[in-house]
Amino acid sequence: MTDEETLGEGAVLDELLREAAADGTGALWRLTGAERQLDANVVRLRPGATVAEHVEPELDVLVLGIAGQGTLRCGGVAHPLEAGVLRLLPRGAARGVSAGPEGVVYLTVHRRRPGMAIRPRP
């Protein structure tokens, strides 16, 4: 078994940020592979950009600030989001992100979403 098979995929954050387009926004990196149990994304928001408040009913999400500054709203409470800040967003809680004047980069990690399924009407 190779190191890559043992350790899985990854990224060097400094390289990822340096190589990303200056105006790039959204997911700069994400886990791939059909057999994984987790989803993870490195997300960059431009200055002043937002991820609208929404509710994730099924998944807890772990958020880690990487660079820049912003505000993470969860359950009606605003929290700073900056390098080194780690927060758990519990399933069912309304959450959203706003980038500060320099933008913000953060990592999200959560259990992989199940595939689409047909469910009976309520």
Side-chain angles (χ1 to χ4, degrees):
M1 190 174 283
T2 68
D3 284 346
E4 187 170 323
E5 290 170 331
T6 304
L7 298 175
E9 58 186 287
V12 176
L13 292 173
D14 288 342
E15 290 177 15
L16 181 68
L17 296 176
R18 187 173 50 250
E19 293 172 3
D23 62 347
T25 191
L28 300 178
W29 174 88
R30 61 177 39 118
L31 283 177
T32 60
E35 300 302 318
R36 71 188 190 283
Q37 293 179 339
L38 290 176
D39 273 333
N41 301 283
V42 173
V43 178
R44 178 166 61 184
L45 296 180
R46 293 180 189 172
T50 63
V51 173
E53 196 161 291
H54 61 285
V55 174
E56 172 49 69
E58 297 181 16
L59 299 174
D60 296 329
V61 177
L62 192 64
V63 177
L64 174 65
I66 295 173
Q69 293 183 336
T71 302
L72 176 64
R73 294 173 313 285
C74 182
V77 179
H79 303 277
L81 180 58
E82 57 193 20
V85 170
L86 181 66
R87 293 268 177 204
L88 173 66
L89 307 178
R91 65 184 172 275
R95 76 274 306 264
V97 179
S98 299
E102 298 173 18
V104 66
V105 180
Y106 58 94
L107 170 73
T108 65
V109 180
H110 56 81
R111 181 175 42 87
R112 188 172 180 197
R113 294 180 191 280
M116 297 291 284
I118 298 174
R119 297 184 181 146
R121 287 187 170 177

